[in-house]
């Protein structure tokens, strides 16, 4: 192989390694930063305690078998930043929304009842569910080509 061909192959390989974290959370050859979005999930698969990472650092979420949930250091929306600060502790209920024709993935829907100041849309209340053989991750999936910054991983019992 001519030397310029080897250099070109080396450059392409280096670009692939550098771009992998930016595209689709990795590739099949590399571990994804989060599991792929699930098209279905059952409540039993999600029960447990979750800890945040990256933009969700310090955030905790507990999903109980009876449908109750508790959130700690949860981010607020623009309307409540002055009242509650950048984060708040809250509680309410949770459910799994099945994939539909317009949304091809299952979602975790949070319904905050405390604090009572919230109107719909004032905080993050829908998360994508990702499950693989070793982890369950809940994340905000703005762009499937970029690894999500707001993500919560279930703690092992």
């Amino acid at each position: 192989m001519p030397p310029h061909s080897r250099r070109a192959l080396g450059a392409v390989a280096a670009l692939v390694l550098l771009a992998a974290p930016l595209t689709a959370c990795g590739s099949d050859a590399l571990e994804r930063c989060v599991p792929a979005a699930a098209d279905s999930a059952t409540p039993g698969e999600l029960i447990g305690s979750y800890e945040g990472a990256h933009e969700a650092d310090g955030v905790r979420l507990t999903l109980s078998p009876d449908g109750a949930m508790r959130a700690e250091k949860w981010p607020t929306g623009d309307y409540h930043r002055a009242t509650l600060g950048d984060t708040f502790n809250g509680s309410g209920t949770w459910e799994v929304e099945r994939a539909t024709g317009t949304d091809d993935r299952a979602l975790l829907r949070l319904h905050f009842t405390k604090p009572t100041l919230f109107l719909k849309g004032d905080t993050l209340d829908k998360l994508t569910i990702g499950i693989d053989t070793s982890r369950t991750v809940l994340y905000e999936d703005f762009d499937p080509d970029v690894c999500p910054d707001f993500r919560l991983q279930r703690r092992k019992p």
Side-chain angles (χ1 to χ4, degrees), residues 15-38:
L15 284 172
V16 167
L17 288 174
L18 290 172
L22 301 175
T23 60
C25 298
S27 69
D28 292 339
L30 301 171
E31 183 179 349
R32 294 174 55 92
C33 65
V34 295

Side-chain angles (χ1 to χ4, degrees), residues 45-46 50 129-132 134-138 152-154:
E45 292 175 294
L46 301 181
Y50 294 79
I129 300 165
I131 301 172
D132 64 18
S134 62
R135 60 202 167 138
T136 300
V137 181
L138 308 172
L152 304 159
Q153 185 163 334
R154 187 168 60 187

Side-chain angles (χ1 to χ4, degrees), residues 52-59 73 75 87 140 142 148-152:
H54 299 282
E55 282 184 1
D57 189 38
V59 175
K73 295 187 177 180
T87 64
E140 186 177 30
F142 276 126
D149 284 331
F150 188 93
R151 56 186 187 242
L152 304 159

Side-chain angles (χ1 to χ4, degrees), residues 4 26 29 39 46 52 59 64 69-72 76 79 82-84 93 105-106 118 123 125 141-142 145 152 157:
H4 66 280
D39 56 0
L46 301 181
V59 175
S64 299
M69 68 88 174
R70 187 178 71 245
E72 297 172 32
T76 62
Y79 294 106
T83 305
L84 299 173
T93 60
R105 62 182 189 241
F118 283 99
T123 191
D125 61 1
D141 193 14
F142 276 126
D145 293 330
L152 304 159

Side-chain angles (χ1 to χ4, degrees), residues 76-80 95 97 109-113 115-126:
T76 62
D78 293 338
Y79 294 106
H80 294 287
E95 65 180 320
E97 286 186 2
R109 169 71 81 160
L110 304 174
H111 303 279
F112 287 94
T113 55
T116 57
L117 299 173
F118 283 99
L119 300 173
K120 186 176 180 176
D122 287 341
T123 191
L124 180 61
D125 61 1
K126 260 199 277 195

